[in-house]
Amino acid sequence: MDNKQLWDSVLAEIELSTSRANFATWFKNTAIVRQEEGVIFLGVPNQFVKEWLFNKYHKAILKSLRGLSEHIRSIEYTISKEPPKQEQPKKVMDHGSQELPLSDYYINKEDNLNPRYTFDSFIVGPFNELAHAAAQAVIKKPGIVYNPLFIYGSTGHGKTHLIQAIGNHFKNTDSSKKVYYITSEKFTMDCLSSIESGKMSLFKEKYRKYDVLIMDDIQFLSQKARMQEELFHLFNTLYDNNKQLIFSSDKDPNYIPHLEERLQSRFIAGMKVDIPPPDHESRMAILKAKSQKMDVMLSYEVLDYLAGSTGSNIRELEGALNTVICQAQLKNKDLSVNEIRQLIKESAKPKKAVSIKDVIKVIADFYNIEEASIYEKTRRQEVVKPRQVIMYILREDFKISYPTIGEKLGGRDHTTVIHSCEKIKNDLKEDVGLLQDIQQVRVLLK
């Protein structure tokens, strides 16, 4: 079976499980350009399609390929401005060197660090230069100055990027240092699991071996007395051994409700620094850097408009930029500022009255699942994620109360709704594909 026959067989299988519109949109101009030692190199027309296929169809494509050939191990996506020519593989345009390698999307399971978050890709401006300087001081003298380092600020101001950049720096420059990044939510889950299984000694042993411990979203430890106690003892152990501690939160530690005073005092004992909203010039610099990374040149007017119209959340800036670039590529032309203005307007949060049932139907259709399955008690992942997105949209965009959302979605407890909304919020920090999903859903709800 040659490359064309192999890919045609995969497409025939994929077509049966997706809508005609989705199939035509995402699989047009795709083809296998070559195979090397069990690796399939799949040619795609642009970065947006590359990310979409990886986020939405990667597992299905890989499963289909392996069903057709047991020798296939993995897939690499490569940008090709023209449809790949199967019989003349040497003429296929390979922009692999200009794109992030697929491995950059993977989070290392050993340390939870995302390799994309580095100082090289961190844009420094007046709004975050103090936090950046503090991070630089930490990497020069870990465990000695600014210990702990506590970074705080609203969602989307770059906290996670900065604290993970510190971790990646240590990881890439000193292999002897044991670095570990974790969110407070995952720390809590890990602790609870250890308590239930009677393995708390292993839990303590695990966390006390690190030279650099980075914990994100400390605010979620609010009202969790047992978790705060465990973190307090862990903090003391690591601090007394000159290990570097780095924390982040969406607010000043003094204003995190129901946080024990002894823990608060330790958080502020080293260095706490705020990252305020990025100023206009910094937002333009961020957009320019991200567009250049995607090999796209945008005019000053476009950058100026995007920086001034999409708020201060860096992830929202990135989402708006992706939307503009996607539309430009689909239309095969540069967009005017007026066209971009309309596009941004369409991508904004829905303002008109939409019923809860409408929201459920639109999102179920978007994820291509049965609407009835949303109300069921199933834990199937293909249902759980859309259900969490529904809860998030109902809460964030329509301000529906947690108990009402739970009641309307099959009689679920309000704590389940809160957990789901927080889960989506956290995932949005790193998952650009999910951000694009939600932007498209918002367009559909307008």
Side-chain angles (χ1 to χ4, degrees):
M1 188 180 296
D2 62 23
N3 287 342
K4 186 176 186 312
Q5 291 171 327
L6 182 60
W7 188 234
D8 284 346
S9 298
V10 172
L11 291 179
E13 191 171 325
I14 296 286
E15 190 173 13
L16 295 175
S17 60
T18 189
S19 70
R20 181 177 298 180
N22 272 332
F23 182 81
T25 299
W26 303 114
F27 290 92
K28 183 181 179 182
N29 293 334
T30 61
I32 295 174
V33 296
R34 67 181 189 277
Q35 299 185 45
E36 289 180 5
E37 298 178 347
V39 179
I40 293 291
F41 288 82
L42 185 61
V44 296
N46 54 54
Q47 177 68 21
F48 191 80
V49 172
K50 175 181 175 178
E51 292 185 358
W52 190 274
L53 289 181
F54 178 73
N55 289 322
K56 305 285 287 188
Y57 292 98
H58 180 76
K59 288 183 180 177
I61 295 172
L62 186 58
K63 181 180 178 182
S64 179
L65 283 168
R66 285 177 174 168
L68 295 164
S69 173
E70 62 182 13
H71 302 296
I72 293 172
R73 296 183 292 106
S74 61
I75 307 169
E76 292 285 345
Y77 298 81
T78 181
I79 309 294
S80 178
K81 299 297 183 185
E82 296 177 351
K85 298 176 180 179
Q86 302 302 313
E87 301 305 319
Q88 297 173 314
K90 292 182 179 179
K91 294 184 180 180
V92 172
M93 296 175 65
D94 187 353
H95 288 213
S97 61
Q98 300 173 10
E99 305 294 337
L100 282 172
L102 193 60
S103 58
D104 279 1
Y105 292 95
Y106 292 129
I107 294 173
N108 189 307
K109 293 182 179 178
E110 296 296 321
D111 51 37
N112 293 328
L113 289 170
N114 186 326
R116 287 193 298 177
Y117 292 140
T118 65
F119 284 112
D120 288 341
S121 59
F122 187 79
I123 307 300
V124 181
F127 75 107
N128 62 7
E129 59 185 359
L130 179 59
H132 180 262
Q136 291 294 317
V138 164
I139 64 175
K140 289 176 182 173
K141 294 184 178 179
I144 298 176
V145 297
Y146 303 157
N147 195 25
L149 174 63
F150 197 105
I151 307 287
Y152 68 97
S154 295
T155 299
H157 289 182
K159 302 186 300 295
T160 297
H161 189 146
L162 183 59
I163 61 177
Q164 287 217 24
I166 299 173
N168 276 316
H169 175 86
F170 284 125
K171 179 180 173 182
N172 296 328
T173 58
D174 187 351
S175 59
S176 67
K177 274 201 166 26
K178 296 183 178 67
V179 182
Y180 195 65
Y181 166 88
I182 192 168
T183 65
S184 67
E185 184 184 31
K186 289 182 179 176
F187 176 80
T188 299
M189 298 300 291
D190 196 8
C191 185
L192 290 175
S193 176
S194 299
I195 293 172
E196 290 173 359
S197 60
K199 296 180 179 177
M200 276 305 287
S201 59
L202 291 177
F203 172 84
K204 293 177 180 178
E205 183 181 341
K206 168 187 172 182
Y207 283 93
R208 291 176 182 182
K209 71 182 180 185
Y210 296 116
D211 300 302
V212 181
L213 179 67
I214 305 168
M215 191 172 292
D216 210 347
D217 290 331
I218 281 295
Q219 71 275 8
F220 292 127
L221 291 184
S222 173
Q223 295 185 312
K224 295 185 176 72
R226 175 62 191 272
M227 299 306 115
Q228 291 183 31
E229 182 179 354
E230 290 299 332
L231 180 57
F232 174 77
H233 293 301
L234 173 61
F235 182 108
N236 288 342
T237 301
L238 293 178
Y239 184 84
D240 291 344
N241 286 282
N242 296 322
K243 307 299 185 184
Q244 181 65 47
L245 293 145
I246 301 167
F247 300 101
S248 85
S249 169
D250 66 356
K251 54 177 67 70
D252 186 310
N254 288 320
Y255 298 103
I256 298 175
H258 307 291
L259 187 65
E260 292 182 11
E261 188 175 343
R262 61 178 181 173
L263 208 46
Q264 283 180 345
S265 68
R266 277 160 177 77
F267 284 154
I268 63 178
M271 172 73 167
K272 68 168 182 172
V273 57
D274 178 27
I275 300 184
D279 53 283
H280 187 82
E281 287 70 24
S282 295
R283 293 200 295 273
M284 287 187 68
I286 291 167
L287 287 167
K288 185 176 182 181
K290 291 186 180 300
S291 60
Q292 287 178 339
K293 193 172 183 179
M294 298 169 75
D295 199 22
V296 174
M297 297 300 293
L298 297 177
S299 68
Y300 176 89
E301 289 73 19
V302 169
L303 292 173
D304 184 51
Y305 176 76
L306 285 175
S309 61
T310 50
S312 60
N313 187 312
I314 295 173
R315 282 187 291 278
E316 288 184 5
L317 283 175
E318 186 172 341
L321 178 68
N322 287 336
T323 301
V324 169
I325 291 175
C326 175
Q327 285 294 318
Q329 289 174 335
L330 289 174
K331 294 182 177 180
N332 197 28
K333 72 179 186 70
D334 293 336
L335 300 183
S336 68
V337 172
N338 283 337
E339 289 175 307
I340 292 172
R341 182 180 293 113
Q342 183 61 31
L343 194 59
I344 298 300
K345 182 180 176 183
E346 290 175 351
S347 299
K349 292 181 180 180
K351 294 182 173 59
K352 71 178 183 181
V354 178
S355 72
I356 293 177
K357 187 167 179 56
D358 288 339
V359 173
I360 295 171
K361 184 176 189 315
V362 165
I363 296 177
D365 288 346
F366 177 80
Y367 282 104
N368 199 25
I369 61 172
E370 292 292 332
E371 183 182 339
S373 64
I374 295 295
Y375 304 97
E376 297 172 353
K377 301 295 183 184
T378 178
R379 297 292 301 167
R380 286 184 290 124
Q381 189 57 36
E382 61 268 31
V383 177
V384 170
K385 192 61 170 286
R387 186 191 294 137
Q388 290 175 334
V389 170
I390 290 170
M391 293 177 177
Y392 175 81
I393 291 287
L394 288 174
R395 179 63 184 170
E396 289 293 313
D397 295 4
F398 298 95
K399 310 304 179 188
I400 308 294
S401 70
Y402 293 124
T404 301
I405 295 172
E407 178 189 348
K408 296 295 183 183
L409 269 70
R412 288 174 164 78
D413 189 83
H414 72 284
T415 57
T416 301
V417 181
I418 293 172
H419 172 79
S420 297
C421 292
E422 294 299 335
K423 175 77 166 53
I424 295 297
K425 278 184 184 177
N426 285 332
D427 289 350
L428 283 171
K429 294 176 181 177
E430 298 180 351
D431 191 342
V432 175
L434 177 61
L435 181 63
Q436 291 166 346
D437 281 1
I438 289 178
Q439 286 176 328
Q440 291 204 17
V441 164
R442 284 170 169 157
V443 171
L444 294 172
L445 288 170
K446 291 182 72 67

